[in-house]
Amino acid sequence: MEEAPVVREEKGPVSVLVMQYRPYNLLGPTLLGAIADEIAAARDAGSRAIILRSGLRHFSAGADVAQFSTRIDQGGRSQTAIGGVDFLKLLELLPIPIVASVHGVCLGGGFELALACDYIVAASSAKIGSVEVALGLHPLLGGIQRQVQRIGALRAKEMSMLARRYDAPTLEKWGLINLTVPEESLEKATMAIAEEFAQGPTLAHAATKELAHIAVNEGVAAADEAMARVQAAIWASEDLKTGLASFRKNGPGLAKFAGR
Protein backbone atom coordinates (compact mmCIF):
# COMPACT_ATOMS: atom_id res chain seq x y z
CA MET A 1 0.00 0.00 0.00
CA GLU A 2 1.42 3.39 -1.02
CA GLU A 3 2.39 5.65 1.87
CA ALA A 4 0.45 8.92 2.16
CA PRO A 5 2.70 11.94 1.47
CA VAL A 6 1.34 13.71 4.57
CA VAL A 7 -0.32 12.24 7.64
CA ARG A 8 -2.24 14.22 10.24
CA GLU A 9 -2.11 13.48 13.96
CA GLU A 10 -4.48 15.15 16.43
CA LYS A 11 -2.95 16.03 19.79
CA GLY A 12 -5.69 17.86 21.66
CA PRO A 13 -6.28 21.21 19.96
CA VAL A 14 -3.08 20.85 17.87
CA SER A 15 -2.93 19.13 14.48
CA VAL A 16 0.49 17.74 13.59
CA LEU A 17 1.05 17.39 9.84
CA VAL A 18 3.91 14.99 9.17
CA MET A 19 5.45 15.08 5.70
CA GLN A 20 6.72 11.66 4.62
CA TYR A 21 7.01 11.99 0.87
CA ARG A 22 10.08 9.89 0.18
CA PRO A 23 12.92 10.27 -0.28
CA TYR A 24 13.34 13.95 0.69
CA ASN A 25 9.90 15.63 0.81
CA LEU A 26 10.44 17.17 -2.61
CA LEU A 27 7.88 19.87 -3.36
CA GLY A 28 5.66 19.42 -6.37
CA PRO A 29 2.00 18.73 -7.17
CA THR A 30 1.82 15.65 -4.92
CA LEU A 31 3.24 17.12 -1.72
CA LEU A 32 1.77 20.62 -2.08
CA GLY A 33 -1.67 19.16 -2.77
CA ALA A 34 -1.42 16.84 0.23
CA ILE A 35 -0.35 19.66 2.55
CA ALA A 36 -3.26 21.82 1.34
CA ASP A 37 -5.72 18.94 1.87
CA GLU A 38 -4.50 18.20 5.39
CA ILE A 39 -4.52 21.86 6.39
CA ALA A 40 -8.16 22.05 5.28
CA ALA A 41 -8.91 18.87 7.23
CA ALA A 42 -7.24 20.29 10.35
CA ARG A 43 -9.32 23.44 10.09
CA ASP A 44 -12.52 21.40 9.63
CA ALA A 45 -11.59 19.33 12.68
CA GLY A 46 -11.52 22.46 14.83
CA SER A 47 -7.76 22.56 15.40
CA ARG A 48 -6.48 25.73 17.04
CA ALA A 49 -2.84 25.35 15.97
CA ILE A 50 -0.99 23.33 13.34
CA ILE A 51 2.54 21.91 13.33
CA LEU A 52 4.19 21.16 10.00
CA ARG A 53 7.15 18.82 10.35
CA SER A 54 8.95 16.02 8.58
CA GLY A 55 8.90 12.34 9.46
CA LEU A 56 12.00 11.75 7.32
CA ARG A 57 15.67 12.54 7.78
CA HIS A 58 15.28 16.06 6.38
CA PHE A 59 12.55 18.70 6.49
CA SER A 60 12.69 19.14 2.69
CA ALA A 61 15.50 19.10 0.14
CA GLY A 62 13.59 21.47 -2.17
CA ALA A 63 11.54 21.22 -5.33
CA ASP A 64 10.95 18.09 -7.36
CA VAL A 65 13.18 19.00 -10.31
CA ALA A 66 11.69 16.15 -12.34
CA GLN A 67 8.74 18.49 -12.92
CA PHE A 68 10.87 21.25 -14.43
CA SER A 69 11.29 19.83 -17.95
CA THR A 70 7.53 20.02 -18.39
CA ARG A 71 7.48 23.54 -16.92
CA ILE A 72 10.14 24.65 -19.40
CA ASP A 73 7.94 23.36 -22.24
CA GLN A 74 5.00 25.26 -20.74
CA GLY A 75 6.83 28.56 -20.25
CA GLY A 76 7.18 28.13 -16.50
CA ARG A 77 3.56 27.23 -15.77
CA SER A 78 2.99 24.61 -13.09
CA GLN A 79 0.46 21.79 -13.17
CA THR A 80 -0.03 21.86 -9.41
CA ALA A 81 -3.71 21.61 -8.46
CA ILE A 82 -3.27 24.66 -6.23
CA GLY A 83 -1.13 27.48 -7.66
CA GLY A 84 1.93 28.72 -5.82
CA VAL A 85 0.48 32.11 -4.84
CA ASP A 86 -2.79 30.50 -3.76
CA PHE A 87 -0.85 27.99 -1.67
CA LEU A 88 1.04 30.79 0.08
CA LYS A 89 -2.21 32.63 0.76
CA LEU A 90 -3.74 29.43 2.15
CA LEU A 91 -1.02 29.25 4.81
CA GLU A 92 -0.61 32.95 5.51
CA LEU A 93 -4.34 33.73 5.73
CA LEU A 94 -5.40 30.52 7.45
CA PRO A 95 -7.16 31.68 10.66
CA ILE A 96 -5.03 29.22 12.66
CA PRO A 97 -1.34 29.61 13.64
CA ILE A 98 1.07 27.29 11.79
CA VAL A 99 4.40 26.32 13.35
CA ALA A 100 7.14 24.90 11.12
CA SER A 101 9.46 22.43 12.85
CA VAL A 102 12.72 22.17 10.89
CA HIS A 103 15.48 19.58 11.10
CA GLY A 104 18.07 18.20 8.71
CA VAL A 105 18.27 20.16 5.49
CA CYS A 106 15.66 22.75 4.59
CA LEU A 107 16.52 24.01 1.14
CA GLY A 108 14.93 25.81 -1.80
CA GLY A 109 11.20 25.21 -1.90
CA GLY A 110 11.33 23.55 1.51
CA PHE A 111 12.69 26.78 2.98
CA GLU A 112 9.97 28.75 1.19
CA LEU A 113 7.38 26.41 2.70
CA ALA A 114 8.72 27.16 6.19
CA LEU A 115 8.72 30.92 5.47
CA ALA A 116 4.99 30.78 4.71
CA CYS A 117 4.31 29.52 8.25
CA ASP A 118 3.75 31.83 11.24
CA TYR A 119 6.56 30.59 13.46
CA ILE A 120 9.72 28.61 12.67
CA VAL A 121 11.46 26.41 15.23
CA ALA A 122 14.69 24.86 13.94
CA ALA A 123 17.15 22.35 15.29
CA SER A 124 20.56 23.91 15.85
CA SER A 125 22.01 21.29 13.50
CA ALA A 126 19.68 22.20 10.60
CA LYS A 127 21.14 23.52 7.36
CA ILE A 128 18.92 26.07 5.63
CA GLY A 129 19.23 28.00 2.40
CA SER A 130 18.01 29.13 -1.00
CA VAL A 131 20.06 27.05 -3.42
CA GLU A 132 18.08 27.38 -6.65
CA VAL A 133 20.84 29.22 -8.55
CA ALA A 134 22.67 25.89 -8.80
CA LEU A 135 19.95 24.96 -11.32
CA GLY A 136 19.95 28.31 -13.08
CA LEU A 137 16.86 29.41 -11.16
CA HIS A 138 15.99 31.60 -8.23
CA PRO A 139 13.41 30.93 -5.47
CA LEU A 140 10.09 30.31 -7.23
CA LEU A 141 7.66 30.13 -4.30
CA GLY A 142 7.85 33.60 -2.81
CA GLY A 143 11.13 33.12 -0.97
CA ILE A 144 12.86 36.27 -2.19
CA GLN A 145 10.14 38.69 -1.16
CA ARG A 146 9.60 36.97 2.19
CA GLN A 147 13.31 37.15 2.92
CA VAL A 148 13.28 40.86 2.03
CA GLN A 149 10.39 41.39 4.47
CA ARG A 150 12.30 39.78 7.32
CA ILE A 151 15.99 40.53 6.80
CA GLY A 152 16.21 43.23 4.13
CA ALA A 153 17.21 43.26 0.47
CA LEU A 154 20.98 42.86 0.99
CA ARG A 155 20.73 39.63 2.98
CA ALA A 156 17.91 38.33 0.76
CA LYS A 157 20.03 38.82 -2.36
CA GLU A 158 22.98 37.17 -0.62
CA MET A 159 20.89 34.11 0.22
CA SER A 160 19.27 33.77 -3.20
CA MET A 161 22.29 34.62 -5.35
CA LEU A 162 25.12 32.82 -3.51
CA ALA A 163 23.22 29.59 -2.68
CA ARG A 164 24.93 29.06 0.66
CA ARG A 165 23.64 26.79 3.39
CA TYR A 166 23.32 28.58 6.72
CA ASP A 167 23.16 27.20 10.23
CA ALA A 168 19.98 27.84 12.19
CA PRO A 169 21.55 30.04 14.91
CA THR A 170 22.78 32.47 12.25
CA LEU A 171 19.33 32.79 10.71
CA GLU A 172 17.77 33.24 14.14
CA LYS A 173 20.22 36.09 14.77
CA TRP A 174 19.21 37.65 11.43
CA GLY A 175 15.51 37.39 12.31
CA LEU A 176 14.60 34.87 9.61
CA ILE A 177 13.55 32.12 12.01
CA ASN A 178 12.05 32.45 15.48
CA LEU A 179 13.79 29.90 17.67
CA THR A 180 16.76 27.52 17.58
CA VAL A 181 16.88 24.55 19.95
CA PRO A 182 19.08 21.44 20.32
CA GLU A 183 17.95 18.70 17.94
CA GLU A 184 16.89 16.41 20.78
CA SER A 185 14.58 19.17 22.10
CA LEU A 186 12.95 20.06 18.77
CA GLU A 187 9.75 18.04 19.06
CA LYS A 188 9.09 19.08 22.67
CA ALA A 189 9.85 22.76 22.00
CA THR A 190 7.66 22.82 18.88
CA MET A 191 4.72 21.28 20.72
CA ALA A 192 5.11 23.76 23.59
CA ILE A 193 4.91 26.70 21.17
CA ALA A 194 1.96 25.18 19.29
CA GLU A 195 0.06 24.52 22.52
CA GLU A 196 0.67 28.11 23.62
CA PHE A 197 -0.88 29.31 20.35
CA ALA A 198 -3.74 26.82 20.70
CA GLN A 199 -4.60 27.95 24.21
CA GLY A 200 -4.93 31.56 23.10
CA PRO A 201 -7.91 33.47 21.69
CA THR A 202 -8.15 31.89 18.25
CA LEU A 203 -10.24 34.63 16.62
CA ALA A 204 -7.79 37.27 17.82
CA HIS A 205 -4.92 35.22 16.36
CA ALA A 206 -6.77 35.05 13.04
CA ALA A 207 -7.19 38.83 13.03
CA THR A 208 -3.50 39.29 13.83
CA LYS A 209 -2.51 37.07 10.89
CA GLU A 210 -4.78 38.95 8.49
CA LEU A 211 -3.61 42.42 9.56
CA ALA A 212 0.03 41.33 9.37
CA HIS A 213 -0.57 40.02 5.86
CA ILE A 214 -2.19 43.29 4.80
CA ALA A 215 0.56 45.38 6.39
CA VAL A 216 3.45 43.59 4.70
CA ASN A 217 1.74 43.38 1.31
CA GLU A 218 -0.24 46.63 1.12
CA GLY A 219 1.27 48.84 3.81
CA VAL A 220 0.37 50.14 7.24
CA ALA A 221 -2.27 52.55 5.93
CA ALA A 222 -4.17 49.69 4.29
CA ALA A 223 -3.97 47.69 7.52
CA ASP A 224 -5.33 50.67 9.44
CA GLU A 225 -8.26 50.91 7.05
CA ALA A 226 -8.97 47.18 7.47
CA MET A 227 -8.81 47.12 11.27
CA ALA A 228 -12.48 47.68 12.05
CA ARG A 229 -13.56 44.94 9.63
CA VAL A 230 -10.91 42.46 10.76
CA GLN A 231 -11.53 43.08 14.47
CA ALA A 232 -15.33 42.77 14.29
CA ALA A 233 -15.27 39.03 15.03
CA ILE A 234 -13.22 39.61 18.18
CA TRP A 235 -15.81 41.92 19.71
CA ALA A 236 -18.47 39.24 19.22
CA SER A 237 -16.31 36.41 20.58
CA GLU A 238 -16.80 34.28 23.65
CA ASP A 239 -13.07 34.52 24.30
CA LEU A 240 -13.20 38.29 24.80
CA LYS A 241 -15.95 37.90 27.41
CA THR A 242 -13.95 35.15 29.09
CA GLY A 243 -10.76 37.20 29.06
CA LEU A 244 -12.41 40.27 30.55
CA ALA A 245 -14.17 38.26 33.26
CA SER A 246 -10.93 36.48 34.19
CA PHE A 247 -9.02 39.76 34.25
CA ARG A 248 -11.53 41.36 36.62
CA LYS A 249 -11.50 38.33 38.93
CA ASN A 250 -7.91 37.06 38.78
CA GLY A 251 -5.80 39.64 36.98
CA PRO A 252 -4.02 39.13 33.65
CA GLY A 253 -2.81 35.88 32.13
CA LEU A 254 -5.15 33.32 33.72
CA ALA A 255 -8.01 33.19 31.22
CA LYS A 256 -8.87 29.80 29.68
CA PHE A 257 -9.99 30.49 26.12
CA ALA A 258 -12.33 28.23 24.16
CA GLY A 259 -11.27 29.52 20.76
CA ARG A 260 -14.71 30.91 19.94
Side-chain angles (χ1 to χ4, degrees):
M1 186 174 178
E2 188 174 349
E3 190 175 49
V6 180
V7 295
R8 178 168 51 91
E9 305 169 355
E10 299 294 344
K11 296 190 176 182
V14 178
S15 277
V16 183
L17 307 189
V18 183
M19 300 182 292
Q20 52 181 24
Y21 187 46
R22 299 182 187 278
Y24 305 118
N25 288 326
L26 298 180
L27 267 69
T30 299
L31 185 54
L32 288 177
I35 293 171
D37 288 345
E38 292 303 330
I39 283 176
R43 179 178 181 177
D44 292 345
S47 297
R48 294 171 61 191
I50 294 172
I51 291 172
L52 181 64
R53 70 174 184 86
S54 169
L56 306 180
R57 181 180 178 184
H58 301 297
F59 182 80
S60 171
D64 183 357
V65 297
Q67 310 289 325
F68 286 176
S69 295
T70 301
R71 290 190 67 174
I72 290 172
D73 294 338
Q74 296 175 343
R77 293 188 300 276
S78 172
Q79 295 302 306
T80 309
I82 180 170
V85 173
D86 288 336
F87 180 81
L88 294 172
K89 286 182 178 178
L90 171 66
L91 273 63
E92 293 177 346
L93 290 176
L94 188 79
I96 306 167
I98 306 175
V99 181
S101 183
V102 175
H103 74 276
V105 301
C106 178
L107 303 175
F111 183 32
E112 293 175 292
L113 174 61
L115 287 174
C117 297
D118 302 300
Y119 195 103
I120 303 174
V121 185
S124 56
S125 57
K127 297 300 180 184
I128 302 169
S130 297
V131 297
E132 289 88 343
V133 295
L135 299 174
L137 287 167
H138 74 181
L140 300 173
L141 194 62
I144 297 168
Q145 47 269 43
R146 282 160 182 79
Q147 290 169 18
V148 170
Q149 285 173 357
R150 292 162 173 78
I151 59 176
L154 286 178
R155 287 295 193 189
K157 287 186 285 187
E158 172 189 329
M159 293 193 72
S160 294
M161 296 169 76
L162 295 182
R164 293 171 179 166
R165 300 185 183 196
Y166 296 85
D167 62 83
T170 293
L171 297 187
E172 181 184 5
K173 187 184 302 182
W174 287 3
L176 200 56
I177 63 178
N178 296 87
L179 179 65
T180 302
V181 297
E183 186 167 357
E184 62 271 18
S185 304
L186 180 62
E187 185 174 352
K188 183 177 180 180
T190 303
M191 181 57 68
I193 294 294
E195 287 178 339
E196 189 172 351
F197 280 128
Q199 291 164 8
T202 304
L203 292 176
H205 288 340
T208 296
K209 287 188 64 168
E210 185 173 355
L211 285 176
H213 187 270
I214 294 170
V216 298
N217 287 282
E218 303 175 41
V220 172
D224 288 345
E225 289 296 321
M227 276 198 302
R229 173 187 62 79
V230 172
Q231 293 168 351
I234 300 175
W235 293 109
S237 70
E238 177 183 325
D239 282 344
L240 176 58
K241 297 174 184 176
T242 298
L244 289 172
S246 177
F247 179 81
R248 293 186 187 107
K249 183 178 180 181
N250 304 308
L254 297 176
K256 296 186 182 300
F257 298 111
R260 298 188 292 271

